[in-house]
Amino acid sequence: MKLSVIGCGYLGAVHAAAMASIGHDVVGVDVDPAKVAALSAGKAPFFEPGLQELLSEGISSGRLRFSTDMADVAGAKVHFVGVGTPQQKGGYAADLTYVDAAVKALTPYLQSGDIVAGKSTVPVGTAGRLAPSVEAVGATLVWNPEFLREGWAVQDTIDPDRLVVGVPTGEPGERAAATLREVYHTATAKGTPFIVTDFATAELVKVSANAFLATKISFINAMAEIAEVTGADVTQLADAIGHDARIGRRFLGAGIGFGGGCLPKDIRAFAARAEELGKGEAVGFLREVDAINLRRRDRAVELVVSALEGDLFGRRVTVLGAAFKPHSDDIRDSPALDVAVRLHGLGAKVLVSDPEAIENARRAHPQLEYEVDRDEALKGAEVVVVVTEWDEYRKDLDPAQARDLVSKPIVVDGRNCLDPAAWRGAGWTYYGMGRP
Ligand code: UGA
């Protein structure tokens, strides 16, 4: 099938490449000429495992191309809209400028019978607001939220847990749902749940899934706060409650909390939208979820300050991690970088290492020092702070060897990803998050 994808960021570029890989003929459109040039040359403009290979395959097969010209969508039957919906400047609501602009720019090129499939995460009510302008040219709008995780984006796109499509009532909606089923033929053929619903439900499925995940993380981080004043160990607690299948162990990783381009802004936008709908109290707990999350960054900073007995001025602190999570170079709202910046603000000489995110981090925070080589970065450290659980730190870093590199063997494990016994055994003073 001929498809177009409007917006070639983390979501759109992966979607375009993944759709080409399952046999579709895809054009990706983006307003950024540098991004389009990179993608057209088969180069991923950001780090996402597996994307590079998919892009090169797609480009050389002739089934995948990129353009800055919206007119190139002509002939496509389904047009996916995957542009960003960042947090508004000075507010909590989502900024819909890019979604509105993309739909407006696309409409003149739509043919009667085309389908516009929104993938961006939007406040409930957005699809209903945009549908009339799409229907006016004989096309049909559907909302098809995306649940991919960065770092696993290729796999999540090709083989998702479920597919959700919000459609209008009647024949156009039924036809659009059938077409989307065809688009995702590899997943639907293997029985992936395909949920056809109305616009509002589809929009809410997405934001409520992210709200639930954020709440789960903040729940365990709240338990970490209690563990810190009682001497309990939140990691054991999470293991123990996680054995209950109703609770489950995933997303009970206590530490410096969630960040990235999705969870933080999505829970804020959800709270803002609920306020607009006169139901702010229904999701009032999300403010608490946000507050708990941000307090964990304070806690990591406090641990470093107390490890250095209150005096950070001119002290060498090595921060391992800059990305908001491993397998990504994304630093948007990264708790790791926030901790590094705060330590720098307190006078420490902060050296940040990360296997993939240094370029992005340096651009955003040129005041910090950077060293890509982990062992170089450890040399002379008075405290080591682990803030992104890359395998390079979690699995491959030998505490005995690391001890020989640093000036003082003190480690703050901001992700509870190290083995405290092994590190203490190698002579380190170990501080975890919500662990004795
Ligand atoms: C999240 C959702 O998981 C996806 O399903 C969704 O599609 C995506 O947002 C989106 O809306 O686009 P992502 O932002 O890639 O995906 O990252 P997650 O894997 O959800 O991690 C988010 C943050 O939570 C990271 O900073 C991670 O370190 C943190 N986290 C995760 C914890 O602190 N503890 C955990 O136990 C798990």
Side-chain angles (χ1 to χ4, degrees):
M1 204 182 292
K2 283 197 162 177
L3 311 176
S4 82
V5 179
I6 319 302
C8 297
Y10 284 96
L11 194 173
V14 175
H15 195 69
M19 291 301 105
S21 82
I22 60 167
H24 298 299
D25 189 342
V26 187
V27 58
V29 177
D30 199 286
V31 292
D32 179 349
K35 200 179 280 175
V36 167
L39 289 164
S40 302
K43 290 201 183 80
F46 48 85
F47 175 76
E48 181 62 47
L51 177 60
Q52 187 66 53
E53 294 77 2
L54 234 53
L55 281 172
S56 332
E57 274 168 36
I59 303 271
S60 52
S61 73
R63 283 200 307 274
L64 178 62
R65 66 207 167 87
F66 293 92
S67 168
T68 51
D69 187 357
M70 192 63 93
D72 286 337
V73 306
K77 193 169 172 190
V78 181
H79 309 269
F80 290 98
V81 176
V83 294
T85 52
Q87 189 174 330
Q88 270 179 10
K89 287 196 173 65
Y92 269 9
D95 177 356
L96 294 175
T97 315
Y98 306 109
V99 171
D100 290 353
V103 172
K104 194 169 169 208
L106 173 63
T107 308
Y109 300 102
L110 294 174
Q111 311 266 310
S112 177
D114 280 5
I115 294 165
V116 177
K119 293 204 78 65
S120 307
T121 302
V122 291
V124 57
T126 304
R129 176 173 63 75
L130 293 172
S133 66
V134 172
E135 283 163 9
V137 295
T140 304
L141 179 72
V142 303
W143 218 264
N144 171 218
E146 181 55 62
F147 303 99
L148 66 80
R149 300 157 297 166
E150 285 178 28
W152 308 93
V154 168
Q155 182 194 316
D156 286 353
T157 304
I158 295 174
D159 190 13
D161 290 342
R162 77 295 209 188
L163 289 152
V164 176
V165 190
V167 302
T169 49
E171 196 273 331
E174 282 165 27
R175 208 173 40 81
T179 305
L180 268 271
R181 219 181 252 281
E182 246 179 86
V183 168
Y184 296 116
H185 63 105
T186 49
T188 47
K190 62 183 269 202
T192 302
F194 188 88
I195 298 153
V196 180
T197 181
D198 53 85
F199 285 157
T201 306
E203 291 163 327
L204 280 172
V205 167
K206 169 66 201 222
V207 289
S208 60
N210 276 1
F212 189 85
L213 294 171
T215 304
K216 202 169 175 191
I217 299 167
S218 277
F219 176 84
I220 201 64
N221 279 329
M223 296 308 107
E225 291 191 356
I226 303 296
E228 276 152 13
V229 293
T230 53
D233 183 332
V234 76
T235 305
Q236 277 196 319
L237 181 151
D239 291 343
I241 63 172
H243 283 302
D244 184 331
R246 294 169 303 173
I247 297 174
R249 181 63 173 83
R250 294 175 75 186
F251 272 66
L252 286 182
I256 57 168
F258 59 81
C262 303
L263 261 44
K265 63 108 177 152
D266 286 353
I267 60 168
R268 292 172 194 155
F270 194 9
R273 183 66 183 133
E275 291 282 351
E276 282 172 12
L277 294 165
K279 278 288 164 202
E281 73 272 24
V283 292
F285 67 92
L286 290 178
R287 307 245 179 229
E288 210 54 57
V289 165
D290 203 0
I292 294 165
N293 190 52
L294 295 175
R295 282 205 297 273
R296 299 319 288 162
R297 304 178 186 186
D298 302 340
R299 172 68 183 170
V301 171
E302 270 165 35
L303 285 173
V304 177
V305 171
S306 81
L308 290 176
E309 286 151 356
D311 178 21
L312 255 60
F313 195 80
R315 312 288 289 275
R316 166 60 79 204
V317 178
T318 294
V319 174
L320 296 182
F324 83 107
K325 68 171 190 182
H327 314 292
S328 171
D329 65 354
D330 195 348
I331 55 148
R332 288 176 293 171
D333 204 344
S334 167
L337 259 187
D338 191 22
V339 167
V341 167
R342 292 195 207 188
L343 293 169
H344 176 266
L346 292 170
K349 277 167 62 188
V350 176
L351 180 63
V352 178
S353 193
D354 190 287
E356 296 294 339
I358 284 188
E359 260 178 62
N360 287 340
R362 197 196 302 273
R363 222 172 293 129
H365 299 289
Q367 75 276 29
L368 304 177
E369 291 174 63
Y370 296 95
E371 170 56 62
V372 72
D373 186 284
R374 181 200 67 195
D375 291 349
E376 264 318 300
L378 287 172
K379 281 184 188 159
E382 295 178 72
V383 184
V384 177
V385 193
V386 181
V387 277
T388 312
E389 67 276 35
W390 287 100
D391 281 351
E392 284 83 342
Y393 315 140
R394 190 175 65 88
K395 281 193 356 209
D396 311 340
L397 183 56
D398 175 40
Q401 280 169 14
R403 197 190 182 294
D404 292 338
L405 298 170
V406 298
S407 119
K408 284 201 176 86
I410 305 173
V411 64
V412 173
D413 182 4
R415 291 291 182 185
N416 287 347
C417 61
L418 307 176
D419 174 1
W423 283 72
R424 288 191 177 117
W428 288 77
T429 303
Y430 171 95
Y431 297 95
M433 303 287 291
R435 298 173 113 175

